[in-house]
Protein backbone atom coordinates (compact mmCIF):
# COMPACT_ATOMS: atom_id res chain seq x y z
CA UNK A 1 0.00 0.00 0.00
CA UNK A 2 1.47 3.31 -1.06
CA UNK A 3 0.59 6.68 -2.48
CA UNK A 4 0.27 6.43 -6.30
CA UNK A 5 3.36 8.57 -6.97
CA UNK A 6 5.47 6.39 -4.63
CA UNK A 7 4.12 3.17 -6.17
CA UNK A 8 4.92 4.51 -9.66
CA UNK A 9 8.55 5.19 -8.67
CA UNK A 10 8.92 1.74 -7.12
CA UNK A 11 7.40 0.10 -10.21
CA UNK A 12 9.93 1.87 -12.48
CA UNK A 13 12.82 0.54 -10.36
CA UNK A 14 11.72 -3.09 -10.09
CA UNK A 15 13.12 -5.82 -12.34
CA UNK A 16 10.91 -6.46 -15.39
CA UNK A 17 10.18 -10.11 -14.59
CA UNK A 18 10.44 -10.35 -10.83
CA UNK A 19 8.87 -13.37 -9.11
CA UNK A 20 7.42 -14.09 -5.70
CA UNK A 21 9.12 -16.27 -3.11
CA UNK A 22 6.52 -18.98 -3.69
CA UNK A 23 7.14 -18.89 -7.45
CA UNK A 24 10.87 -19.14 -6.85
CA UNK A 25 10.48 -22.22 -4.62
CA UNK A 26 8.20 -23.88 -7.18
CA UNK A 27 10.71 -23.19 -9.96
CA UNK A 28 13.55 -24.74 -7.92
CA UNK A 29 11.41 -27.83 -7.24
CA UNK A 30 10.54 -28.14 -10.94
CA UNK A 31 14.19 -27.91 -12.02
CA UNK A 32 15.15 -30.60 -9.50
CA UNK A 33 12.58 -32.98 -11.05
CA UNK A 34 14.71 -34.32 -13.91
CA UNK A 35 11.78 -36.17 -15.48
CA UNK A 36 9.71 -32.99 -15.59
CA UNK A 37 12.61 -31.06 -17.12
CA UNK A 38 13.20 -33.75 -19.78
CA UNK A 39 9.48 -33.86 -20.72
CA UNK A 40 9.29 -30.08 -20.88
CA UNK A 41 12.38 -29.80 -23.08
CA UNK A 42 11.01 -32.48 -25.43
CA UNK A 43 7.68 -30.68 -25.68
CA UNK A 44 9.30 -27.33 -26.41
CA UNK A 45 11.62 -28.80 -29.06
CA UNK A 46 8.72 -30.56 -30.77
CA UNK A 47 6.26 -27.68 -30.55
CA UNK A 48 8.50 -24.72 -31.40
CA UNK A 49 8.72 -25.41 -35.18
CA UNK A 50 4.97 -26.17 -35.31
CA UNK A 51 4.18 -22.87 -33.60
CA UNK A 52 6.57 -20.91 -35.85
CA UNK A 53 4.95 -22.40 -39.00
CA UNK A 54 1.47 -21.57 -37.72
CA UNK A 55 2.41 -18.01 -36.82
CA UNK A 56 4.12 -17.40 -40.14
CA UNK A 57 1.07 -18.71 -42.00
CA UNK A 58 -0.94 -16.05 -40.14
CA UNK A 59 1.38 -13.23 -41.19
CA UNK A 60 3.65 -13.07 -38.15
CA UNK A 61 7.41 -12.63 -38.42
CA UNK A 62 8.69 -15.18 -35.89
CA UNK A 63 12.31 -14.72 -34.90
CA UNK A 64 14.72 -17.68 -34.47
CA UNK A 65 15.04 -18.93 -30.90
CA UNK A 66 16.21 -21.84 -28.79
CA UNK A 67 14.14 -20.68 -25.82
CA UNK A 68 10.77 -21.77 -24.45
CA UNK A 69 9.18 -18.70 -26.02
CA UNK A 70 9.08 -16.85 -29.32
CA UNK A 71 9.34 -13.19 -30.15
CA UNK A 72 7.20 -12.42 -33.17
CA UNK A 73 6.24 -9.24 -35.00
CA UNK A 74 2.45 -9.23 -35.29
CA UNK A 75 0.53 -8.27 -38.44
CA UNK A 76 -1.55 -5.85 -36.33
CA UNK A 77 -0.60 -3.46 -33.51
CA UNK A 78 0.81 -5.57 -30.67
CA UNK A 79 -1.15 -3.78 -27.95
CA UNK A 80 -4.42 -4.31 -29.81
CA UNK A 81 -3.57 -7.97 -30.41
CA UNK A 82 -2.74 -8.56 -26.73
CA UNK A 83 -5.98 -6.87 -25.62
CA UNK A 84 -8.13 -8.84 -28.06
CA UNK A 85 -6.52 -12.13 -27.01
CA UNK A 86 -6.83 -11.27 -23.32
CA UNK A 87 -10.58 -10.89 -23.87
CA UNK A 88 -10.46 -14.55 -25.02
CA UNK A 89 -8.47 -15.64 -21.96
CA UNK A 90 -5.09 -15.78 -23.74
CA UNK A 91 -2.17 -13.70 -22.48
CA UNK A 92 0.75 -12.56 -24.62
CA UNK A 93 3.35 -10.02 -23.59
CA UNK A 94 3.56 -6.84 -25.66
CA UNK A 95 7.26 -6.24 -26.35
CA UNK A 96 6.70 -3.09 -28.41
CA UNK A 97 8.34 -0.77 -25.92
CA UNK A 98 11.65 -2.62 -26.01
CA UNK A 99 14.32 -1.35 -28.41
CA UNK A 100 14.10 -3.04 -31.81
CA UNK A 101 10.89 -4.92 -30.98
CA UNK A 102 8.25 -2.52 -32.24
CA UNK A 103 5.06 -4.45 -32.97
CA UNK A 104 6.36 -7.62 -31.31
CA UNK A 105 4.82 -9.99 -28.80
CA UNK A 106 6.26 -12.76 -26.62
CA UNK A 107 4.59 -16.14 -27.04
CA UNK A 108 5.34 -19.00 -24.65
CA UNK A 109 5.67 -22.45 -26.21
CA UNK A 110 3.36 -24.90 -24.48
CA UNK A 111 1.79 -28.29 -25.12
CA UNK A 112 0.11 -28.84 -28.52
CA UNK A 113 -3.42 -28.15 -27.21
CA UNK A 114 -2.39 -24.79 -25.76
CA UNK A 115 -0.49 -23.81 -28.90
CA UNK A 116 -3.43 -24.79 -31.11
CA UNK A 117 -5.80 -22.72 -28.97
CA UNK A 118 -3.62 -19.67 -29.59
CA UNK A 119 -3.38 -20.31 -33.34
CA UNK A 120 -7.18 -20.77 -33.61
CA UNK A 121 -7.74 -17.50 -31.73
CA UNK A 122 -5.24 -15.67 -33.96
CA UNK A 123 -6.94 -17.09 -37.06
CA UNK A 124 -10.30 -15.83 -35.79
CA UNK A 125 -8.86 -12.33 -35.26
CA UNK A 126 -7.54 -12.03 -38.81
CA UNK A 127 -9.28 -9.41 -40.91
CA UNK A 128 -11.00 -10.91 -43.95
CA UNK A 129 -8.93 -10.72 -47.12
CA UNK A 130 -10.10 -8.25 -49.73
CA UNK A 131 -12.52 -9.84 -52.13
CA UNK A 132 -13.47 -12.59 -49.63
CA UNK A 133 -16.49 -12.73 -47.39
Amino acid sequence: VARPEVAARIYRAKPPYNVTGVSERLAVAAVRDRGFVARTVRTIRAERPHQVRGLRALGFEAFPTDANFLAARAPMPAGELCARLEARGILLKDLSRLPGLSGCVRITIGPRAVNERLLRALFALRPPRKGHA
Side-chain angles (χ1 to χ4, degrees):
V1 177
R3 292 193 335 247
E5 62 274 10
V6 173
R9 291 181 103 178
I10 291 169
Y11 185 78
R12 283 194 305 268
K14 78 172 191 61
Y17 299 107
N18 58 337
V19 296
T20 66
V22 172
S23 296
E24 186 177 332
R25 287 189 294 281
L26 289 170
V28 169
V31 170
R32 287 185 177 151
D33 181 344
R34 294 189 189 280
F36 172 80
V37 171
R39 287 187 306 276
T40 300
V41 169
R42 276 194 306 273
T43 297
I44 292 166
R45 285 184 175 157
E47 287 299 312
R48 191 172 37 229
H50 169 75
Q51 195 73 340
V52 167
R53 282 190 304 273
L55 290 167
R56 288 182 176 155
L58 292 168
F60 283 75
E61 177 187 2
F63 301 108
T65 183
D66 289 323
N68 67 332
F69 65 90
L70 301 166
R73 186 160 282 114
M76 68 172 57
E80 176 187 337
L81 175 65
C82 290
R84 291 177 71 187
L85 286 172
E86 185 175 357
R88 294 169 176 254
I90 299 171
L91 300 177
L92 300 186
K93 180 148 182 78
D94 182 351
L95 301 176
S96 291
R97 294 182 186 185
L98 298 174
L101 294 176
S102 175
C104 292
V105 293
R106 180 191 190 277
I107 301 169
T108 301
I109 304 296
R112 178 63 57 105
V114 172
N115 297 334
E116 287 294 327
R117 180 173 177 234
L118 171 63
L119 292 174
R120 284 191 307 273
L122 292 171
F123 182 82
L125 294 178
R126 285 184 347 166
R129 287 191 267 161
K130 293 182 181 183
H132 292 82

